Structures are given as structure tokens and as C-alpha cells.
Amino acid sequence: MDASVDRQEEIQPSLSVRQALEEVRLRCVACQTLYPVLEPGRAARYRCDCGEVLDVEIPLHLPASLAFQAGAALQTHDEAAAWRRLFAERAALVPGAPGAAVSRRSGVWRYRELILPIPEEAVISRAEGNTTLYAVGSDQQQETLASPGLQRIGDYAGLAQLYLKHEGENPTGSFKDRGMVVGVTMARLMGARAVACASTGNTSASLASYAALAGLQALVFLPAGQVAGGKLSQTLAYGAHMVQINGDFDAAMQLVEQVCDELGIYLLNSLNPFRVEGQKAIAFELLQQLDWQAPDWLVLPAGNLGNTSALGKAFRQARDLGLISRLPRLAAIQAAGANPFYRSYREGFARRHAVQAQTVASAIKIGNPVSYARARLVIEECAGLVEEVSDPEILEAKAVIDRAGIGCEPASAATLAGIRKLVRAGIIKPNERVVAILTGNLLKDHQTGVPRAETVIIDPDLASVRRTLDALGPLTSSSSG
């Protein structure tokens, strides 16, 4: 990678991009200072001058062209109905259908007016999103064709109405694609020639894929020996330049921020506010799948806290637009060995903690989360909470999800472990409606928490098969007839 071509002053956004972004602002989550997206002499801004992170502000109104299309809905002054109609029409398009505009096939760009209001022809996409919302509660079996595997998840959690939103069904196998498609689109619109991130694996895989799609060079910084093989393989296969460092994710994050500031490379960690904006689509999509009826709880794994920030913001915007009538409560679940946000929450957020992270759930093995300030605001606004679960609890919950035929990586299972713990503590009530986010695919980490098969080689005859099966025990509890 030739760093000389990527210096800050050489990033020159086009006139059309300037026009599209002129109403967009960046606001400091601490001191509330406002910044334009495009600043003369500056390639990109990720932090306020006070050092805190930034949030994207866009005008939340129905564009004139869409208002005209909404017609009858607006005649009754029901703008929320117009939004719902617009999103329903886009969702009706089959992903990959010939002739369907890319923004309408995407479970992110379907909501682009609420995420990044740019022209339809300016976006890139792999039809990300469109992930399944699995009904797994003990009272929901008619919705799931009476699947015993799914019912076991609800029984394990102790909930009658539980849904799993499986973000591992995204193109690269994790929720990161939701934010990365927006971040890489912004990088291209800004004229960047290279993008970079620090990662525990999922971010790097997603960045590598979308950078390749957009024709950009990709540079990823990984903590050496701490990234699962499946994620490394994706990163390399998509053509990213990989740098492994002697240190943890937090050290990699500090380094990549310095590198991007110095060389003008576009940073695509969740420090980038546009990355976080894309992840809002998870909330919009699950609300649409629930017919715009907010659940009582949204439970999700918490590492760098980008998802906690994004989903909380999306729910607030949905309420402000009249799409939902109330905010769900958020429960952010951390691994006990990587629990800085939990420690701060237990002290009423009196101070910000950092830890040396240790957990089998590598995707949330983060000791100093970048989006702390954003996530704190979300938890406080929605009367949410933060909980911790142990590695054994995570692996036990993962086995339940895996045996149901859905599967997930260890960090995802923190949600189910956290729900079980909160139900047993009487915090989540057994009859409340709960949505849990599964953040990554099973194959992201095909070793942790996965049983090791014993190698058994038999002769190719029925007698040998019978002896082997007898040693395993009965395959079913009743005869097949």
C-alpha cells in the first residue's frame, strides 16, 4: 500500500456529495458542539475538539418526492403511515431480484432517509440485512411450525415470547456489514483511496469485503493470536493488507486512529459515526418485522458498544417519527472478563472503567470501548441495564442455540446467557416480549464451544455400523416404525 497517495489533503469530495451532505451535521455527545461533515482542509473528523466521540444528525422528515408518492397517507396528516408504507414497499422486493434498485434490496439502504440521505445511485451494497427474526418463545410454536429445537431456546431462557434476530445471516456473517456498507459508501463519496480498522475479526472481514466491492485498498490491525481463524481467512481472501500487533484490541485501536490521522486513510471502526448509523438498520428492520410494535426488551452483546449506541438511537428516532409509541428497554450483556461498561453501570456511571479483557467470546474481548459515551446515554434514556455473564454461561447458552440448528459464535450467545440470568433474577418477566441479537455466524469461530469429534473408522458393513451405534447409545427415544 502506497501511503503517499492517501494523505488527508488529497481527499476531495465531489460537488454532488457536498450537496447531498449539506444538511448533515456531527454533534459531540459531551459538549454538544456541531461540526459540518465536510470541513475545509480536513479529510474526515471522528472526534470533537474536546476528545469525545461524535453523533450524526440528519433532518428526520419525509422528503418531498416521497411525500408526493405517499398521497393518501399524508392527506390524513399521518406521516408515520407514509414512512411505514415506503418501507413496506421496499421490503416487498425480493433480494437479488432483477431490476430492483440496490438500495431497495438492502436491509440498510431501505431506510436510507433515516441513515444517510444520499442519492440512490450513490450507494454500494451486497443486499445486506434482511436477516431472520426467529420466534423461539415457549408460546410461539405456531409461528415456528412447532419446531422442538427452537422451543428449547425459549424454555432455556424461561420466556414465552422470545425472538432471536440473527445478524450472522449478513453477507460476511456478522452485523458489521450493516455499518460497514454505510462507512465504505462514505469513504468512496469522500474520495478516499484506502480504509482501515482495528478488529477482533468481524470488522476486518466486513471491511475487507466492502472495500473490495468499492475498489478501495483495505488495511486492518489485529491483535496477534487473538482472532479466530474463520475471520482471518475472510480478511485475507477479500484482499486486505493485514498487520498483527503485539497487544490487544485496545492497543490496535489506538494505533489505527494514529495511522489514519497521519496518512489520511479513512477510519472505519465504530469511532466513525457513519459506521454506527448503518447499524441502526437492525432496529428499524426488527421493528418492521414486528409490525412496528416495540418489544419490551432488546438484549444484545456489548463489546465496543457501537450496537448499543446505534439501536438505542434508532428506537428513539422511530418513536419521534411516530413509528412506535414507546422505547423498549435495552440490556447490554458483557463477558465477565471484559466488563468495563458493566463496572461503570454498577457505580451509576460515576467513572469510566477500562480492563485488561479476557474471555472466550473474542468478538467482545474489548477492555476500553470507544462508544462508551454514546451507549451510556442510551442506557440512561431507555431505563436500560448492563449485565455480565461468565464464559461457562456463554458456552452453555451457545450449545443451546447451536443444538437448535441456528448456531452462533460465542459472543452472540452472551445474549441468551444474559436473558436467562435476568429472568431468573426477576428483572425480565416471563411474559414480556424480548428480542435478542445474535451478532455472528457459527463459522466465525468454528473451534470455541464446538464439540470435538472422535475419529472412528469402521469397516463398510452393517455389523460395524451397529456396533458403533450401540456404543453411542440410542439415537431416538422411540422406534421409527
Side-chain angles (χ1 to χ4, degrees):
M1 177 179 292
D2 183 2
S4 65
V5 303
D6 294 305
R7 301 197 63 81
Q8 294 185 35
E9 62 271 20
E10 296 201 21
I11 298 180
Q12 295 294 330
S14 68
L15 177 61
S16 62
V17 171
R18 292 179 182 275
Q19 293 173 336
L21 297 177
E22 62 184 7
E23 290 187 284
V24 181
R25 295 288 184 270
L26 301 175
R27 184 183 292 275
C28 176
V29 300
C31 70
Q32 301 299 301
T33 300
L34 275 174
Y35 299 95
V37 173
L38 306 174
E39 295 183 66
R42 188 184 187 105
R45 176 182 284 276
Y46 312 109
R47 292 186 184 272
C48 176
D49 290 341
C50 76
E52 196 48 89
V53 296
L54 302 168
D55 203 9
V56 177
E57 285 195 359
I58 59 177
L60 294 179
H61 58 75
L62 199 67
S65 59
L66 298 178
F68 176 78
Q69 296 172 23
L74 285 186
Q75 290 175 17
T76 61
H77 305 286
D78 189 351
E79 188 167 308
W83 282 114
R84 294 189 194 102
R85 176 179 173 180
L86 170 67
F87 300 145
E89 289 175 351
R90 291 176 178 173
L93 293 168
V94 178
V102 67
S103 67
R104 302 185 183 200
R105 290 186 277 117
S106 167
V108 173
W109 296 119
R110 178 182 308 146
Y111 313 100
R112 74 179 187 280
E113 293 83 6
L114 307 182
I115 291 174
L116 185 63
I118 58 175
E120 195 167 32
E121 61 272 14
V123 308
I124 65 169
S125 176
R126 290 188 61 191
E128 51 287 317
N130 302 301
T131 60
T132 305
L133 188 66
Y134 292 94
V136 302
S138 57
D139 286 355
Q140 296 172 301
Q141 294 314 296
Q142 286 186 347
E143 297 179 51
T144 60
L145 301 180
S147 166
L150 297 184
Q151 183 175 351
R152 282 195 289 271
I153 299 177
D155 291 342
Y156 181 81
L159 289 175
Q161 297 184 79
L162 174 62
Y163 297 85
L164 301 183
K165 178 71 168 162
H166 203 336
E167 290 298 294
E169 296 176 358
N170 272 288
T172 74
S174 87
F175 77 92
K176 300 290 187 178
D177 294 346
R178 301 263 195 176
M180 198 59 68
V181 68
V182 177
V184 170
T185 293
M186 274 299 297
R188 192 174 67 168
L189 293 179
M190 295 280 285
R193 298 173 185 168
V195 291
C197 72
S199 181
T200 55
N202 284 332
T203 301
S204 66
S206 185
L207 176 135
S209 171
Y210 281 93
L213 188 67
L216 303 176
Q217 296 181 77
L219 176 65
V220 301
F221 291 80
L222 307 174
Q226 299 181 45
V227 178
K231 301 172 188 180
L232 285 175
S233 297
Q234 285 182 287
T235 302
L236 292 171
Y238 293 131
H241 301 272
M242 186 171 66
V243 178
Q244 298 196 58
I245 69 163
N246 290 318
D248 59 11
F249 168 82
D250 302 297
M253 186 67 231
Q254 289 181 344
L255 179 61
V256 74
E257 190 173 354
Q258 294 170 7
V259 169
C260 288
D261 283 344
E262 174 66 25
L263 300 179
I265 297 173
Y266 196 71
L267 177 62
L268 281 175
N269 281 97
S270 56
L271 178 62
N272 184 316
F274 293 101
R275 252 283 315 276
V276 176
E277 286 297 289
Q279 290 162 216
K280 293 191 312 185
I282 300 172
F284 294 139
E285 188 174 276
L286 73 86
L287 287 173
Q288 187 173 11
Q289 290 170 318
L290 292 173
D291 197 25
W292 302 102
Q293 300 298 310
D296 296 301
W297 289 88
L298 187 286
V299 186
L300 72 170
N304 221 17
L305 303 180
N307 256 353
T308 304
S309 308
L311 272 65
K313 182 179 180 181
F315 287 133
R316 183 196 326 122
Q317 290 178 332
R319 181 199 59 188
D320 292 347
L321 290 168
L323 294 170
I324 58 176
S325 60
R326 59 177 176 82
L327 295 177
R329 297 182 69 185
L330 263 68
I333 311 300
Q334 294 210 289
N339 64 352
F341 195 49
Y342 171 77
R343 294 187 185 194
S344 295
Y345 168 78
R346 294 288 293 178
E347 296 177 358
F349 295 117
R351 66 188 178 108
R352 179 172 177 168
H353 282 271
V355 302
Q356 188 69 39
Q358 290 296 333
T359 175
V360 297
S362 61
I364 54 175
K365 188 180 177 182
I366 296 169
N368 189 18
V370 164
S371 291
Y372 170 91
R374 297 186 190 118
R376 172 186 171 176
L377 293 174
V378 164
I379 295 298
E380 292 176 337
E381 180 180 27
C382 72
L385 59 84
V386 187
E387 186 55 88
E388 66 172 359
V389 290
S390 67
D391 281 358
E393 288 173 314
I394 289 173
L395 294 178
E396 181 178 283
K398 171 178 162 56
V400 173
I401 297 170
D402 291 349
R403 298 300 189 279
I406 297 176
C408 65
E409 68 169 321
S412 297
T415 53
L416 182 58
I419 289 168
R420 179 179 169 92
K421 187 172 184 178
L422 292 172
V423 170
R424 290 187 163 191
I427 298 171
I428 296 179
K429 309 305 181 188
N431 62 342
E432 288 187 300
R433 198 183 202 195
V434 180
V435 175
I437 306 298
L438 302 182
T439 47
N441 187 284
L442 170 65
L443 296 180
K444 286 288 188 173
D445 185 346
H446 63 276
Q447 295 182 323
T448 305
V450 177
R452 296 290 175 265
E454 294 184 10
T455 301
V456 179
I457 301 175
I458 66 171
D459 293 328
D461 57 65
L462 186 57
S464 297
V465 172
R466 288 185 182 278
R467 285 194 298 271
T468 301
L469 295 184
D470 287 344
L472 293 175
L475 294 180
T476 63
S477 57
S478 61
S479 63
S480 58

